[in-house]
Amino acid sequence: MRPDYRECFQPFLQPGERLIVASDYWENSALPSVPAHLRTPRTPPPPSALEQRVRGALGSILGKVSRPLDAMGSSRVTNNPVVRAVDRVSDRVENAAIDLEHIADQPMERAIWGTTMDGGWNSIAGRLLIDLTNAGGEPERQALTDRRLVLLVNRNTSWRNPAPQWDFGAEVPRTHIARMTPHSKVISRGRFDVGFVDGSWIALGSLQRERAEGFAAAFHQGV
């Protein structure tokens, strides 16, 4: 177990809890998207001082550009066929970006990666994916303790300071886990499937096959 993997979990361990194995977390691109009605609305973080200065400068520039346009008359601008065409293109780009979020549900993705989850959104597997999605941030670490399967997210979005900001992502009690099985597909990198006592399961993984196999082996070796 790499020291940096072990150390990032120390603040999140419960009193007396023992860390068994920890590794990087690789999010399989074919995992289903959590439906919008099950997602927790997120409040965007307040802008940094640098972002406020940049916005202020841009606002000043845009204000100078918009004044001549206002003098032309709002109806002339909105009725301009070029402006309407640009609006239509912008709408299509925005819609395409939304569609990309759900690309994991497309048949091509399933053909490449295979099935990655079984069980409804009320199953243990479904609740794990919902909790991890609603945690926000980028899921990047996973660990198995003598009590839980734990996933951490990195909340750092700063390009000036790349140091990770670890936060709790999701967990499943160890008593709810029935099996961990390394996946046979080479293309799936370090994928392993976690089966739960209710019959549901989900694909987790690492960027390296050896880490995924070690993670699964640690579960079956007991505590």
Side-chain angles (χ1 to χ4, degrees):
M1 188 188 330
R2 280 176 32 174
D4 56 326
Y5 292 160
R6 180 178 60 251
E7 291 168 2
C8 69
F9 278 95
Q10 294 302 320
F12 300 94
L13 295 179
Q14 300 169 352
E17 186 174 20
R18 183 163 58 93
L19 185 65
I20 305 300
V21 63
S23 77
D24 63 307
Y25 170 78
W26 171 60
E27 186 173 23
N28 194 300
S29 61
L31 283 171
S33 298
V34 174
H37 70 280
L38 295 176
R39 296 184 179 225
T40 302
R42 298 176 188 169
T43 302
S48 64
L50 176 61
E51 185 179 356
Q52 291 178 1
R53 290 197 299 270
V54 171
R55 286 184 175 181
L58 289 176
S60 177
I61 295 172
L62 292 175
K64 294 178 181 179
V65 173
S66 64
R67 281 193 291 272
L69 292 177
D70 291 339
M72 295 170 57
S74 59
S75 61
R76 291 179 59 188
V77 174
T78 55
N79 293 327
N80 188 298
V82 175
V83 173
R84 292 200 303 270
V86 170
D87 288 340
R88 288 194 296 271
V89 171
S90 299
D91 290 341
R92 286 197 294 270
V93 170
E94 182 178 0
N95 292 335
I98 295 173
D99 291 340
L100 284 175
E101 184 179 359
H102 303 285
I103 192 172
D105 296 327
Q106 295 179 356
M108 181 61 71
E109 289 292 308
R110 291 196 296 268
I112 294 174
W113 300 108
T115 304
T116 55
M117 192 180 84
D118 188 24
W121 294 113
N122 288 324
S123 69
I124 298 176
R127 291 305 312 176
L128 174 63
L129 187 55
I130 291 172
D131 291 345
L132 188 59
T133 300
N134 287 335
E138 293 295 328
E140 295 180 2
R141 294 289 184 269
Q142 59 190 340
L144 183 67
T145 76
D146 57 346
R147 304 176 187 176
R148 303 174 291 163
L149 169 68
V150 187
L151 293 99
L152 300 184
V153 297
N154 181 7
R155 297 198 182 280
N156 185 15
T157 59
S158 172
W159 56 270
R160 303 180 67 183
N161 180 14
Q165 297 177 3
W166 300 115
D167 199 358
F168 177 80
E171 67 177 354
V172 175
R174 191 173 177 126
T175 54
H176 290 180
I177 302 174
R179 60 179 175 84
M180 288 190 182
T181 308
H183 204 275
S184 60
K185 282 191 174 182
V186 176
I187 195 173
S188 295
R189 297 186 182 180
R191 169 179 167 176
F192 61 98
D193 299 336
V194 183
F196 302 104
V197 294
D198 64 350
S200 65
W201 63 269
I202 189 170
L204 303 181
S206 165
L207 287 174
Q208 294 187 10
R209 176 175 293 276
E210 293 77 11
R211 292 176 191 160
E213 291 175 346
F215 204 99
F219 171 78
H220 292 287
Q221 288 171 359
V223 298

